[in-house]
Amino acid sequence: MTARNDLAAAAPWVEAKQQAGTLILALGGPWITQRIGKQAVALAATPPGAARRVNLDIAAVEAMDTAGAWLVYKTVKHFRAQGLEVELIGAGKATASLIETVAKSDVPCPPPPAAENAVIAMIARVGAATFFVGREARDLTNFLGHTVVVLLRLAVRPWRLRWTAWISHMEQAGLNALPIIGLISFLIGVVLAYQGADQLARFGAQIFTVNLVAVGVLREMGILLTAIMVAGRSGSAFTAQIGTMTVNEEVDAMRAIGLDPMEVLVVPRVLALVVVMPLLTFYADIMGLLGGAVMATAVLDISFVRFARQLSEAVTMWSFWIGILKAPIFGFIISLVGCYEGLKVSRSAESVGRQTTRAVVEAVFLVIVLDAMFSIMFSFLKI
Amino acid sequence: MDPQSDHDTPIIRIRDLSTRFGTQVIHENLDLDVMAREVIGVVGGSGTGKSVLLREIVGLMRPASGRIEVFGQDTRALDDAGWRTLQRRWGLLFQDGALFSSLTVAQNIDVPLKEHTKLDRVLRRELVDIKIALAGLPPEAANKYPSELSGGMRKRAGLARALALDPEILFLDEPTAGLDPIGASRFDQLIGQLQRALGLTVVMITHDLDSLYAICDRVAVLTGKRVKVGTIEVLLCEPDPWIQDYFNGPRGRAAAGTAQPPDGHRVGDREAVGREEDNV
């Protein structure tokens, strides 16, 4: 066996000759998985012709593994099935026992199930996905109700709140998100100012760039970008954390000890995002306006002072409050979806990844749908 | 291919192997020889670097220093093509089978065949079926996904994949961990049978004293950053406290009490693949 590598260049061979009504098949070379090619596979297909006996001479075989043994065994089986007498010659003790082992393992497995009709499969998939979305919506609403009940229960007994977890999640989701949210908001302010100035300059109304930046950032951009960033950063982290705990049976252990995972895991995360989101949005607003102001100074020759004066004329307090008011609601939704998907993880690492992706997609989707609904509502209220 | 002469040449030779994680020294000047066609059990307390040693032999980790020769080739001196050739000559069974979860059992076993051989689809399928039967899996398991299998069946499927290319060396990482005692002893027997039928060299990491007594020719004990190798009888005379505790503890004595010679049958065993033994 150790000589296998030296056989790298060699190939298995078969020699067939007829001799007085006997077909003699002489095999030689390495009959191993690595070296077997077409010629070896053709072995079993050798026509016996007029021969009534087959002698299979494997004395010249230099090495044999299960693949070679299988081909030899298959050949023997094939000729025996045709009513021929078959004799195996020249098998050493080890080879004979290998062929014996392979013969014992000749248990064909059922073929893989045939693929379904593509059209039917697609319709079935659409149907299944529709039902899935329906069930998901129902379960998420259910979870929302459950969370609210637990929150109300905690409002009556506030000392049961997990303060350490709450503060720690606020730090992770809020404080640690400051650099990235600040940077993105600043850049969005820059982009809005630049693009706006480009268009408004055609009407000589460059100063209204300030209005564009202010309204855009305060009402929509600040809160939306913050929500999307938080969904990607913290919503996914919630799912991954709780999901990993589910995989490790930590959540089951909690239940067994008498701790409510809703109270221990979900509530601190939900409350953390509800508190942190308005703060982050406020910070994003400031950074966005700053970006717009820097751009205005650098490119449009609108000084900081003029920018500030124009700003106070352009926006009412409502523009600011609309953004801030949406923040806790979005935070609630993001953390709700994150925790819900985390608790839905089944006991495999794979499902942690799947649920995490789902949590982010669902959270961003819900945030944008809600944002659109808020827009409609505010336009009815004329603010 | 006289087995007796094969027994004298080390198929794996490790010299002066040292492993460090930061300041923590795992192995220091470790020497180990694995002979062709033997079953060697690697034991040791937690954190003594059993899995690390195995990972270093198969090239998943690099030792800090030292020399590892497999089939007489220095593994650190090999180029990519050399590695690929070498990798085809060993099979690896990870702790929980490490099957690809998106593929069925049959497809899992087919992966190395498809990747490394020129066999056509029909022959590959036939070989996969043989490997499934060799590993003691029922034919229905072929089209199941890993998530639909029990732990014991996943290990058998992993074993079938490890055997796909008819390797000369089989590395097993805790093959019986997580199996119930009956499943574990069947798995031991299966490995013993395959080892004899296919002429394998088996390196297995284990905690299972029953496995050591049942199928291992020699045992390598990782202790004090080195390794002590020998048959169990020889190791019993070692003064090392860990070895004494291990083999002479209540579990060790219990395993010794029920142990049988590696070729023996357990009375009343009616396992299907058990029949193979009679013909070897």
Side-chain angles (χ1 to χ4, degrees):
Chain A
M1 288 283 185
T2 34
R4 261 194 216 181
N5 243 22
D6 313 333
L7 303 170
W13 47 263
V14 187
E15 256 175 33
K17 59 180 182 229
Q18 295 276 357
Q19 203 174 56
T22 305
L23 172 68
I24 299 174
L25 286 174
L27 276 52
W31 281 70
I32 56 175
T33 316
Q34 295 297 324
R35 304 257 56 90
I36 288 170
K38 286 202 178 63
Q39 73 281 38
V41 180
L43 167 68
T46 315
R52 299 309 309 151
R53 283 179 57 84
V54 179
N55 280 354
L56 206 56
D57 184 359
I58 60 170
V61 171
E62 292 160 50
M64 182 170 279
D65 64 7
T66 50
W70 165 252
L71 285 173
V72 170
Y73 164 74
K74 205 168 100 171
T75 314
V76 173
K77 193 169 117 178
H78 169 73
F79 285 131
R80 287 211 174 122
Q82 295 180 356
L84 299 166
E85 259 179 74
V86 187
E87 201 181 336
L88 194 62
I89 303 168
K93 192 164 168 273
T95 314
S97 82
L98 183 65
I99 295 174
E100 192 73 38
T101 306
V102 168
K104 290 241 159 73
S105 304
D106 180 20
V107 189
C109 297
E116 286 175 77
N117 180 311
V119 178
I120 295 176
M122 204 184 82
I123 294 172
R125 247 172 55 198
V126 170
T130 312
F131 272 104
F132 178 81
V133 169
R135 268 201 311 273
E136 190 87 345
R138 183 198 66 193
D139 291 351
L140 193 60
T141 317
N142 202 346
F143 188 75
L144 169 77
H146 193 169
T147 310
V148 169
V149 169
V150 175
L151 280 172
L152 289 176
R153 214 162 56 207
L154 275 176
V156 182
R157 279 171 292 181
W159 58 89
R160 289 189 63 101
L161 184 66
R162 316 277 149 166
W163 288 90
T164 326
W166 184 24
I167 306 283
S168 148
H169 286 300
M170 287 207 287
E171 183 192 339
Q172 283 166 32
L175 197 66
N176 296 352
L178 287 181
I180 185 69
I181 288 180
L183 180 66
I184 288 200
S185 305
F186 183 85
L187 290 176
I188 284 295
V190 167
V191 170
L192 272 181
Y194 188 77
Q195 294 299 327
D198 220 29
Q199 298 298 319
L200 293 169
R202 299 186 198 179
F203 308 101
Q206 274 169 334
I207 189 68
F208 287 108
T209 306
V210 181
N211 298 40
L212 181 79
V213 171
V215 173
V217 167
L218 292 182
R219 283 187 81 121
E220 294 296 341
M221 282 315 201
I223 172 64
L224 258 188
L225 281 172
T226 308
I228 289 169
M229 282 311 295
V230 169
R233 252 187 113 258
S234 305
S236 62
F238 292 172
T239 309
Q241 287 160 0
I242 297 179
T244 312
M245 292 178 81
T246 312
V247 172
N248 286 340
E249 294 183 298
E250 286 172 59
V251 175
D252 289 338
M254 270 180 199
R255 289 202 180 100
I257 294 169
L259 296 169
D260 183 5
M262 290 299 286
E263 215 174 278
V264 180
L265 298 176
V266 178
V267 167
R269 286 176 169 81
V270 170
L271 287 184
L273 278 203
V274 168
V275 171
V276 142
M277 271 296 283
L279 301 174
L280 281 177
T281 307
F282 178 75
Y283 169 69
D285 287 351
I286 301 297
M287 291 306 281
L289 291 178
L290 194 67
V294 166
M295 197 63 194
T297 321
V299 183
L300 306 175
D301 287 332
I302 302 173
S303 68
F304 258 84
V305 180
R306 248 186 99 200
F307 188 93
R309 204 183 307 127
Q310 181 69 21
L311 185 67
S312 66
E313 281 171 26
V315 293
T316 59
M317 270 321 266
W318 268 114
S319 302
F320 167 75
W321 281 117
I322 282 172
I324 298 292
L325 280 177
K326 288 191 277 193
I329 296 165
F330 289 178
F332 187 76
I333 293 292
I334 291 167
S335 53
L336 199 72
V337 172
C339 295
Y340 165 74
E341 295 295 351
L343 287 171
K344 260 189 59 180
V345 164
S346 63
R347 289 210 47 206
S348 75
E350 202 190 342
S351 85
V352 176
R354 202 170 40 231
Q355 297 304 109
T356 305
T357 315
R358 193 169 283 157
V360 175
V361 173
E362 272 173 21
V364 171
F365 170 76
L366 287 176
V367 160
I368 291 180
V369 167
L370 271 180
D371 192 54
M373 281 161 57
F374 272 119
S375 283
I376 296 169
M377 189 182 87
F378 288 134
S379 81
F380 269 115
L381 296 173
K382 304 229 165 30
I383 19 183
Chain B
M1 294 208 297
D2 178 24
Q4 224 38 51
S5 69
D6 264 8
H7 243 293
D8 302 333
T9 45
I11 203 163
I12 301 172
R13 184 204 294 267
I14 300 172
R15 288 289 174 272
D16 288 328
L17 181 92
S18 296
T19 312
R20 279 183 286 276
F21 291 133
T23 55
Q24 197 190 354
V25 180
I26 309 286
H27 308 128
E28 199 165 30
N29 301 329
L30 180 150
D31 293 344
L32 176 66
D33 283 342
V34 178
M35 301 300 168
R37 288 154 194 256
E38 73 168 340
V39 181
I40 188 163
V42 179
V43 301
S46 306
T48 50
K50 304 181 294 284
S51 293
V52 172
L53 181 64
L54 189 139
R55 287 172 157 266
E56 283 171 347
I57 298 174
V58 299
L60 292 172
M61 278 176 79
R62 278 197 144 224
S65 65
R67 194 178 160 83
I68 299 173
E69 284 175 25
V70 183
F71 303 115
Q73 292 167 292
D74 183 358
T75 53
R76 291 185 98 169
L78 282 175
D79 56 1
D80 280 0
W83 255 117
R84 273 199 297 279
T85 321
L86 196 58
Q87 279 168 337
R88 290 174 209 165
R89 299 176 72 187
W90 65 49
L92 213 63
L93 173 62
F94 291 92
Q95 261 193 44
D96 196 33
L99 297 168
F100 304 123
S101 51
S102 58
L103 304 177
T104 64
V105 169
Q107 286 167 338
N108 260 289
I109 303 168
D110 195 32
V111 168
L113 287 171
K114 208 167 163 179
E115 191 66 29
H116 290 305
T117 71
K118 291 172 292 188
L119 308 176
D120 64 17
R121 211 155 49 88
V122 179
L123 184 56
R124 283 208 321 263
R125 178 78 215 193
E126 288 167 352
L127 289 176
V128 166
D129 290 358
I130 291 178
K131 300 289 148 78
I132 286 175
L134 272 178
L137 284 169
E140 310 83 70
N143 296 318
K144 287 193 175 151
Y145 285 90
S147 55
E148 301 170 306
L149 299 177
S150 67
M153 281 169 85
R154 270 204 297 277
K155 289 206 179 186
R156 282 171 190 264
L159 183 64
R161 187 180 67 183
L163 292 172
L165 290 173
D166 274 272
E168 291 151 79
I169 311 177
L170 187 59
F171 294 102
L172 308 168
D173 192 355
E174 303 213 13
T176 54
L179 297 184
D180 63 80
I182 298 167
S185 86
R186 285 198 179 150
F187 204 83
D188 284 344
Q189 289 175 17
L190 174 69
I191 289 165
Q193 284 153 16
L194 289 173
Q195 188 269 330
R196 270 165 276 143
L198 307 178
L200 297 168
T201 306
V202 178
V203 179
M204 63 188 258
I205 293 177
T206 187
H207 279 300
D208 194 338
L209 281 149
D210 292 317
S211 299
L212 292 181
Y213 277 104
I215 57 169
C216 290
D217 299 319
R218 293 196 304 157
V219 177
V221 187
L222 281 166
T223 171
K225 294 165 189 141
R226 298 286 198 82
V227 69
K228 293 211 165 74
V229 198
T231 57
I232 293 174
E233 292 81 64
V234 171
L235 287 173
L236 279 172
C237 306
E238 282 281 341
D240 185 279
W242 193 88
I243 296 178
Q244 284 303 322
D245 278 358
Y246 186 70
F247 287 109
N248 281 330
R251 281 157 180 271
R253 284 204 306 275
T258 56
Q260 76 239 308
D263 290 302
H265 290 276
R266 234 167 255 247
V267 181
D269 191 301
R270 298 221 179 276
E271 198 203 349
V273 286
R275 285 177 289 130
E276 275 169 20
E277 263 186 7
D278 307 334
N279 305 293
V280 172

